[in-house]
Amino acid sequence: MLIKHTKILLCHSSRMNVVWIIVSCMVCFGVCSDGLSGNGTSRPAVVNVGAIFTFDSTIGRAAKIAIQEAVKDVNSNSSVLQGTKLVVQLQNSNCSGFLGLVGALKFMETDVVAVIGPQSSVVAHTISHVANELQVPFLSFAATDPTLSSLQFPYFLRTTQSDLYQMTAIAEIIEFYAWKEVIAIFIDDDYGRNGVSALDDTLATRRCRISYKAGISPGATVTRGDVMDVMVKVALMESRVIVLHAYRTLGLMVLSVAHYLGMMGDGYVWISTDWLTTVLDSSPPLPQDTMDTMQGVLVLRQHTPDSENKRAFSSRWNKLTGGLLGLNSYALHAYDTVWLVAHAIDSFFNQGGTISFSNDTKLQSVEGSNLHLEAMSIFDGGPLLLKNLLESDFVGLTGPFKFSPDKSLIRPAYDIINVIGTGFRRVGYWSNYSGLSILPPETFYSRPPNRSSTNQKLYSVVWPGNNVQKPRGWVFPNNGKQLKIGVPIRVSYREFVSQSPGTNNFKGFCIDVFIAAVNLLPYAVPHKFVPYGNGHENPSYTEMVRLITTGKFDGVVGDVAIVTNRTRVVDFTQPYAASGLVVVAPFQKLNSGGWAFLRPFSAQMWGVITIFFLFVGMVVWILEHRTNDEFRGPPKQQLITILWFSLSTLFFAHRENTVSTLGRMVLIIWLFVVLIINSSYTASLTSILTVQQLYSPIKGIESLKETDEPIGYQVGSFAERYLEEIGIPKSRLVPLGSPEEYATALQRGPAKGGVAAVVDERPYVELFLSNQCKFRIVGQEFTKSGWGFAFPRDSPLAVDLSTAILTLSENGDLQRIHDKWLARSACSLDNAELDSDRLHLRSFSGLFLICGIACFIALLIYFIQILRKFCRTSNAAVDSDGQNTTSRSKRLQTLLSIIDEKSDKSNRGSKRRKIDRSVSADNIENDLGRDSR
């Protein structure tokens, strides 16, 4: 018999494992054939359902009462099963995976159509294979392992929330408080491992991680000493944010040991999964010494909306238990699971389903053995019942009860509990819809989802150590180790970083900034400087930064530029020095010379000015020719008038008056242009004659790219890679290792084996130019970056040091450190201008454009007037002749005569001006005569 062999297997553990494997394989992977069994009625008097869980566990004690009460309620409600009695057969699994399997096999020998349970995720993994084979749905109200939702187990339904959502809630809490690393303490079985794996995945999406995983054996033989060994290792870790995922007995032992080791004090953060709220909800008030071990712990609890039915059941529960057993969320889910089965069976019968079983002929090969596996049968209506279970939709004690397409309950949500004193208080909620909030999740379901950071809120928390300030979440490991800080061994520009001979001590601008920033931190930073480089040439800074990812360095301090390829692998602090690539080139002084007056304008500018002088003169002549006697006369005189008028406007000395409105408009605009040109020319010429001018054929990085001359760069600098990326061939790049090599290469020039220019970061260049007066920076800084200290990704030390660097900048200490190491000489402060730019046409293009448009519009209006007069003259000639036979040459002659003829209004105006001039002349002569007398 099966029971007999079970007892034998319990006594002989080695044989037990072998038989268990054989049973599982035979159940899951047997050969195929058919079998039949008698059919039952469509509405039988009794329908049998199994239930398997641990009766004497915290969850099981409450679940047993909840299931029994649910069965009573279902059978007393005639509208559900309509006369069919629901019978639930209970089986105790005793938290054993093997006994759980045996219990499931015993159910398979009976006519149960579904099984409520199992409670344990470990048992669920084992039993799910049986459920798949025999088509009997298993509905677990307590197995939260996320991997049980996989497609591998279609007949396993979880009627509680998956740990996937619980771990997501924990990850969002960690992100909300800006912690980057956590430690996970868990029971090392399917439930613990898979839950922590889900937490690791959700943290990774938020750029957080589990820095240490501490698994504890799930066996009953675990002692306090074993837990003590694990907790001592945890205490030596850097992170102080601890997530505890275990069962009641082990979890309480971990908290007790942590309290004993002082790990429940200031600086620690403890977050527990919902096992602890199950203990707090189910048990009478715990002893004070037990409560002392969990002060300040954050705990999650599956959220169940408040409702009238829930309050009524809670009152009924207190009467049933006499207040000796609290109502936890798993008991509520167990109650709703019974109702789920009842609704699904009712729908099953309404759809014509019948309860019938057939033999599983895959087990035919083991027929006749003492195991009697052939007694197990397949539930023929299993697929239909499973379909009805997944399509169920009702409101239970836990709220709306409905499955999503991935077979999870809809609207996952958790309460966030803070253990304080002799009890606990709720500090907020988490839901998959709205995230963290201080309002119940039900208030958000009618609104559009909004997961923005401003809407994520929690009430204040009392942390371990009775601290209301948010813990930093990490400390330096208390294991005697110091941070290994890599420092480059520079052979040039040692003012920034230099190593004291024969020691590992360093000094320089960068070192002083780092030490000053560390001294501002509210905690000690044990560290040691580790030199990097061969001492013969500057090391590769990119390679030194990469060694942080391999663990050789815990950080890098020095003149390290913050560039894109480095930020992909490490985190940098706030820049403590501005940096960027500039071009250094030799120069020569320019003398004023006899032709200095031509230098303010470029050749193109001079040409355009000349053209516009002539053009404006011609436009004014055209506009004034018909109406102004001063613009008439022989062709030679008119040409001289045009040239004289144009050039005289340069000095505002023109004597010719303009009569026409269009001419005056053009002249006003042109005089404004001349005013601007005169002012600009005067200012530029003054600068050329009074300020010392320096000249370099190189104008900046763009002019360097257009040549094929060699370019120098500092060994180890990122400038080499940058220059290659912008298209400069590597063959043109010349590595230089010291300021002396800079000067020598620049003085030689390309013709003598030197370089045309040097490209380097501004801090180095400024130090170089402080004692090299023969060179200057040309062009503009063409990259923007800075120097920072490098640390591993998501390092909290990088954040704290950034704050310290900002403090140094605000209080002036950073500038004082800069002046101490990088004081400039008078040479670098020379105010001579390097190759002052000429005034180019683009600076005046707008003025010339306005003037040109004005001339065009004036000419257009003028010619329209001429054409109108020409048309009237032609029509009058036709009317007088009576025929339209005027030749083309005649028409052209008429048009030219109209253009050249004098206007009558013009004649009267000219005569009036001449009379005025003669009267003025006579008055002047009379005045002179009186003066002589």
Side-chain angles (χ1 to χ4, degrees):
M1 296 297 293
L2 180 60
I3 302 301
K4 178 180 177 180
H5 279 273
T6 299
K7 294 179 180 179
I8 295 174
L9 291 172
L10 288 172
C11 298
H12 304 283
S13 58
S14 60
R15 294 177 59 195
M16 177 186 69
N17 294 333
V18 175
V19 174
W20 178 82
I21 294 173
I22 294 174
V23 170
S24 299
C25 294
M26 288 188 298
V27 169
C28 299
F29 308 109
V31 294
C32 298
S33 60
D34 296 326
L36 296 173
S37 163
N39 293 337
T41 61
S42 59
R43 283 279 181 175
V46 175
V47 59
N48 293 312
V49 174
I52 182 169
F53 53 92
T54 303
F55 293 169
D56 60 348
S57 66
T58 302
I59 295 176
R61 283 191 294 269
K64 183 177 180 180
I65 299 174
I67 290 174
Q68 291 171 343
E69 292 303 307
V71 171
K72 292 178 184 179
D73 294 344
V74 168
N75 289 330
S76 64
N77 191 332
S78 59
S79 64
V80 181
L81 290 177
Q82 303 178 16
T84 299
K85 182 179 181 181
L86 178 66
V87 176
V88 177
Q89 304 173 16
L90 302 180
Q91 181 74 37
N92 189 1
S93 63
N94 290 319
C95 290
S96 169
F98 177 73
L99 292 181
L101 174 62
V102 172
L105 294 178
K106 289 181 64 178
F107 280 135
M108 298 303 102
E109 294 177 353
T110 63
D111 56 350
V112 297
V113 297
V115 177
I116 299 175
Q119 172 186 331
S120 168
S121 297
V122 177
V123 178
H125 274 282
T126 306
I127 293 179
S128 295
H129 295 286
V130 179
N132 289 350
E133 180 64 25
L134 302 181
Q135 299 180 5
V136 176
F138 277 69
L139 301 94
S140 176
F141 57 87
T144 57
D145 180 359
T147 61
L148 290 170
S149 299
S150 65
L151 299 177
Q152 183 183 2
F153 307 120
Y155 281 87
F156 178 84
L157 294 182
R158 192 197 327 269
T159 57
T160 187
Q161 297 297 346
S162 168
D163 274 344
L164 175 64
Y165 299 111
Q166 182 169 210
M167 297 307 172
T168 302
I170 292 176
E172 291 198 17
I173 292 174
I174 292 170
E175 182 184 28
F176 176 77
Y177 288 109
W179 297 314
K180 293 299 183 181
E181 294 185 356
V182 302
I183 295 174
I185 302 175
F186 60 97
I187 186 166
D188 197 5
D189 61 5
D190 292 334
Y191 160 76
R193 285 192 304 271
N194 294 332
V196 170
S197 177
L199 176 62
D200 204 3
D201 292 341
T202 54
L203 286 174
T205 62
R206 294 162 174 80
R207 290 194 63 183
C208 305
R209 69 186 185 96
I210 298 177
S211 60
Y212 182 69
K213 297 179 181 180
I216 302 177
S217 173
T221 60
V222 176
T223 64
R224 186 178 178 88
D226 297 331
V227 176
M228 184 78 71
D229 293 339
V230 173
M231 297 306 294
V232 168
K233 295 179 181 178
V234 170
L236 297 177
M237 296 295 126
E238 176 180 322
S239 177
R240 286 293 182 262
V241 182
I242 302 173
V243 177
L244 180 57
H245 187 47
Y247 300 132
R248 172 185 176 133
T249 303
L250 182 59
L252 293 177
M253 187 183 297
V254 168
L255 293 176
S256 176
V257 171
H259 184 263
Y260 173 78
L261 294 175
M263 299 173 65
M264 300 298 295
D266 286 345
Y268 280 92
V269 176
W270 284 83
I271 302 176
S272 172
T273 52
D274 60 357
W275 68 268
L276 183 53
T277 48
T278 303
V279 174
L280 295 172
D281 290 337
S282 303
S283 305
L286 295 173
Q288 187 59 45
D289 57 346
T290 303
M291 293 298 298
D292 289 342
T293 63
M294 60 182 74
Q295 292 298 304
V297 176
L298 278 184
V299 196
L300 296 185
R301 176 174 61 194
Q302 294 191 43
H303 175 71
T304 53
D306 188 26
S307 65
E308 185 64 32
N309 290 337
K310 179 182 174 182
R311 289 192 294 269
F313 186 78
S314 179
S315 176
R316 174 180 165 189
W317 181 274
N318 291 331
K319 294 178 181 179
L320 288 172
T321 61
L324 299 177
L325 181 64
L327 178 62
N328 59 54
S329 60
Y330 287 104
L332 296 175
H333 282 96
Y335 180 91
D336 284 349
T337 301
V338 175
W339 277 93
L340 170 66
V341 173
H343 284 297
I345 292 175
D346 186 53
S347 299
F348 174 81
F349 288 146
N350 290 337
Q351 295 172 10
T354 58
I355 298 178
S356 62
F357 298 87
S358 58
N359 294 330
D360 188 354
T361 54
K362 296 178 183 179
L363 302 175
Q364 186 176 2
S365 59
V366 296
E367 186 176 358
S369 69
N370 292 330
L371 294 177
H372 296 288
L373 296 178
E374 69 278 2
M376 293 185 294
S377 56
I378 298 175
F379 177 36
D380 297 328
L384 179 59
L385 180 60
L386 176 64
K387 176 176 175 292
N388 289 324
L389 287 169
L390 293 173
E391 294 177 352
S392 296
D393 186 1
F394 66 96
V395 178
L397 297 181
T398 59
F401 207 99
K402 184 180 179 180
F403 289 99
S404 61
D406 63 350
K407 298 196 306 180
S408 298
L409 291 180
I410 62 171
R411 297 180 178 177
Y414 287 86
D415 299 338
I416 302 174
I417 306 298
N418 185 201
V419 180
I420 305 173
T422 58
F424 53 85
R425 71 183 183 98
R426 184 167 49 217
V427 296
Y429 304 87
W430 176 89
S431 75
N432 197 40
Y433 186 82
S434 57
L436 300 174
S437 68
I438 56 178
L439 298 176
E442 304 83 58
T443 60
F444 296 98
Y445 293 140
S446 59
R447 311 175 191 173
N450 187 349
R451 299 296 295 270
S452 64
S453 58
T454 56
N455 288 330
Q456 305 301 295
K457 299 178 182 178
L458 291 176
Y459 288 117
S460 60
V461 176
V462 178
W463 304 100
N466 201 28
N467 185 12
V468 295
Q469 297 295 327
K470 186 201 81 170
R472 189 170 66 245
W474 67 278
V475 296
F476 284 100
N478 190 20
N479 52 14
K481 295 182 179 179
Q482 295 178 314
L483 290 181
K484 295 175 292 184
I485 304 298
V487 182
I489 303 176
R490 293 198 59 87
V491 297
S492 62
Y493 298 112
R494 294 171 60 84
E495 293 86 350
F496 295 106
V497 177
S498 63
Q499 184 179 16
S500 300
T503 67
N504 282 338
N505 296 328
F506 287 83
K507 60 182 180 179
F509 169 70
C510 303
I511 301 300
D512 281 4
V513 172
F514 175 73
I515 294 175
V518 168
N519 290 336
L520 290 177
L521 299 180
Y523 49 86
V525 182
H527 64 276
K528 62 178 181 180
F529 292 129
V530 180
Y532 177 77
N534 55 21
H536 302 295
E537 63 179 8
N538 295 332
S540 170
Y541 281 40
T542 300
E543 178 62 21
M544 181 171 61
V545 169
R546 190 192 65 81
L547 291 178
I548 295 178
T549 63
T550 65
K552 181 174 180 178
F553 296 137
D554 298 314
V556 169
V557 170
D559 46 339
V560 183
I562 303 173
V563 293
T564 304
N565 63 321
R566 296 172 185 171
T567 57
R568 293 192 181 105
V569 295
V570 298
D571 280 350
F572 282 91
T573 63
Q574 173 80 15
Y576 62 87
S579 179
L581 294 179
V582 294
V583 178
V584 179
F587 66 92
Q588 61 185 12
K589 296 182 180 180
L590 292 178
N591 297 320
S592 298
W595 297 96
F597 68 91
L598 295 176
R599 285 176 54 198
F601 290 149
S602 64
Q604 185 183 29
M605 182 67 178
W606 281 117
V608 171
I609 290 175
T610 302
I611 292 173
F612 257 83
F613 269 114
L614 298 176
F615 173 67
V616 171
M618 291 183 62
V619 170
V620 173
W621 177 83
I622 292 174
L623 298 176
E624 295 291 324
H625 178 67
R626 297 183 65 248
T627 60
N628 195 336
D629 289 337
E630 296 180 3
F631 288 88
R632 300 184 64 82
K636 180 179 179 181
Q637 180 182 348
Q638 295 185 47
L639 179 61
I640 294 174
T641 300
I642 292 174
L643 294 176
W644 167 251
F645 179 81
S646 299
L647 296 177
S648 62
T649 56
L650 179 62
F651 310 101
F652 304 96
H654 55 286
R655 298 184 58 185
E656 292 79 8
N657 293 316
T658 53
V659 177
S660 66
T661 303
L662 295 177
R664 290 174 178 177
M665 179 189 71
V666 171
L667 185 60
I668 289 174
I669 295 177
W670 173 242
L671 290 178
F672 176 74
V673 173
V674 170
L675 175 64
I676 300 300
I677 292 175
N678 279 339
S679 301
S680 302
Y681 177 85
T682 303
S684 180
L685 182 61
T686 302
S687 174
I688 291 173
L689 297 177
T690 58
V691 179
Q692 178 177 281
Q693 301 293 309
L694 309 178
Y695 171 75
S696 173
I698 298 171
K699 309 302 180 184
I701 188 63
E702 294 299 327
S703 62
L704 276 179
K705 289 171 59 177
E706 295 171 357
T707 66
D708 57 356
E709 296 176 334
I711 304 171
Y713 68 92
Q714 184 181 174
V715 175
S717 171
F718 75 96
E720 177 186 11
R721 177 174 178 176
Y722 179 84
L723 293 174
E724 292 179 4
E725 288 177 351
I726 64 175
I728 297 178
K730 191 172 183 178
S731 59
R732 291 180 56 192
L733 303 181
V734 179
L736 303 173
S738 66
E740 292 75 19
E741 293 185 18
Y742 281 22
T744 303
L746 288 171
Q747 288 173 351
R748 289 180 178 176
K752 298 181 180 180
V755 297
V758 171
V759 175
D760 205 351
E761 296 177 68
R762 180 174 286 276
Y764 302 123
V765 171
E766 289 178 348
L767 194 59
F768 170 70
L769 296 179
S770 65
N771 52 20
Q772 294 288 342
C773 301
K774 300 179 181 179
F775 314 104
R776 285 291 183 274
I777 296 175
V778 295
Q780 300 296 321
E781 186 176 303
F782 53 92
T783 65
K784 295 291 184 181
S785 62
W787 288 353
F789 306 131
F791 293 94
R793 295 297 295 271
D794 302 319
S795 171
L797 184 58
V799 178
D800 291 349
L801 279 178
S802 294
T803 304
I805 289 171
L806 289 175
T807 303
L808 290 175
S809 177
E810 292 170 357
N811 61 22
D813 288 345
L814 189 60
Q815 185 61 43
R816 282 188 283 272
I817 296 173
H818 179 276
D819 295 341
K820 171 185 174 182
W821 291 98
L822 308 176
R824 301 179 181 180
S825 66
C827 177
S828 63
L829 300 177
D830 193 348
N831 291 323
E833 295 184 1
L834 181 58
D835 192 24
S836 178
D837 289 336
R838 290 180 170 183
L839 298 176
H840 294 276
L841 176 62
R842 62 177 178 273
S843 302
F844 302 91
S845 57
L847 290 172
F848 287 122
L849 180 63
I850 293 173
C851 184
I853 292 175
C855 293
F856 174 77
I857 294 175
L859 289 175
L860 180 63
I861 295 173
Y862 174 78
F863 282 117
I864 290 175
Q865 294 174 346
I866 294 297
L867 289 175
R868 290 179 61 188
K869 187 169 184 179
F870 171 72
C871 292
R872 289 196 299 268
T873 303
S874 298
N875 293 334
V878 171
D879 293 339
S880 62
D881 296 342
Q883 56 182 353
N884 189 13
T885 57
T886 307
S887 65
R888 181 176 301 177
S889 60
K890 186 66 175 177
R891 287 176 176 270
L892 180 60
Q893 184 178 0
T894 302
L895 177 62
L896 293 177
S897 64
I898 292 174
I899 294 175
D900 189 57
E901 73 179 358
K902 294 174 62 178
S903 174
D904 294 339
K905 183 178 180 179
S906 172
N907 293 338
R908 291 193 296 270
S910 298
K911 291 178 180 178
R912 186 180 300 111
R913 284 194 298 273
K914 290 180 180 179
I915 294 171
D916 292 341
R917 288 178 183 174
S918 62
V919 171
S920 299
D922 292 341
N923 292 336
I924 292 173
E925 290 177 357
N926 293 333
D927 292 340
L928 289 175
R930 285 196 298 270
D931 291 342
S932 62
R933 288 194 298 270

